Amino acid sequence: MARKKVALRYIRNSSTRRVTFEKRRNSLMKKAGDLGALCNTKACVLVYGEGASMPDVFPSHADAVAILSKYKYMPDLVQFKNTMSQEEFLIERITKLQEEANMFRCEREDREIRILLHKAMLGGSLDAHEVARVGPKLEVILKNLGDRITKISKKPPALQPHATYVTNNIGDVSSTSTEASGLA
């Protein structure tokens, strides 16, 4: 049976508060003992109760003093190896988020360029800005294809002549048919 979520707030009834404190204190000390046994570590717990002059100590006062003094006299390098200030944490988190944002930006740009390439392959026209964006990506794709062909066939790909670009008389059917017949 699952427990209900307990609201973390001050318990006004003193007898209920005392009983809850004792139960949770005992549970905390049991868990500290289990942690020490399961992980072969030394753990101690100090709990200051409401109105108590001395804390409740686990496992014993002498063992807790030994554990705390061993920690206190540890070199700073070992003692604070994994600790960081709030500023260091925020700088690290910002750096990770910036790297993630750059990765998403690169993926988005790559997707947009592939859409433009697809548009051009279907016969759509690209403006100068779009051509400038597509050019470097197209070169990378062609280089990767050449590398794959080389890897699969174990010989370099044969150089194929590029088609000449027609810059004048684009709409004139007679000039394109003349050029096409000249190529044949």
Side-chain angles (χ1 to χ4, degrees):
M1 182 170 169
R3 295 183 184 181
K4 289 188 218 175
K5 185 174 181 178
V6 177
L8 296 179
R9 62 176 174 241
Y10 184 73
I11 301 172
R12 296 199 184 279
N13 187 339
S14 61
S15 63
T16 306
R17 184 175 59 247
R18 190 182 77 256
V19 170
T20 303
F21 170 74
E22 289 175 5
K23 284 181 182 179
R24 291 195 177 191
R25 181 194 59 210
N26 293 337
S27 175
L28 177 66
M29 291 186 178
K30 181 180 182 305
K31 286 180 191 262
D34 293 346
L35 177 69
L38 292 172
C39 299
N40 195 24
T41 61
K42 301 235 184 270
C44 69
V45 177
L46 303 173
V47 179
Y48 286 90
E50 185 178 35
S53 60
M54 297 293 293
D56 295 317
V57 182
F58 174 83
S60 69
H61 183 71
D63 291 340
V65 168
I67 292 169
L68 293 174
S69 25
K70 183 177 179 182
Y71 179 75
K72 182 179 177 183
Y73 292 114
M74 232 183 244
D76 286 347
L77 196 64
V78 176
Q79 187 176 0
F80 298 112
K81 181 174 77 172
N82 294 328
T83 60
M84 62 175 58
S85 68
Q86 182 73 20
E87 183 180 0
E88 291 170 337
F89 172 76
L90 291 175
I91 289 171
E92 181 181 308
R93 187 70 183 135
I94 288 170
T95 304
K96 285 182 182 179
L97 289 173
Q98 285 174 340
E99 290 172 359
E100 195 172 303
N102 286 337
M103 182 184 69
F104 286 132
R105 183 186 48 78
C106 289
E107 287 177 4
R108 180 184 47 84
E109 288 175 357
D110 186 51
R111 206 174 313 116
E112 289 174 356
I113 290 172
R114 288 185 182 272
I115 290 170
L116 290 174
L117 280 171
H118 186 69
K119 176 184 169 184
M121 287 181 356
L122 293 176
S125 62
L126 301 177
D127 63 12
H129 177 69
E130 292 172 337
V131 170
R133 287 181 66 194
V134 167
K137 181 65 177 180
L138 190 57
E139 289 176 7
V140 169
I141 291 171
L142 290 173
K143 182 184 177 302
N144 288 341
L145 285 174
D147 292 345
R148 287 181 187 173
I149 291 170
T150 304
K151 186 177 179 179
I152 291 171
S153 67
K154 306 289 188 217
K155 57 183 175 181
L159 292 176
Q160 298 176 357
H162 294 285
T164 57
Y165 294 105
V166 179
T167 56
N168 57 357
N169 300 332
I170 294 176
D172 188 9
V173 177
S174 62
S175 66
T176 57
S177 62
T178 309
E179 289 175 6
S181 64
L183 292 175

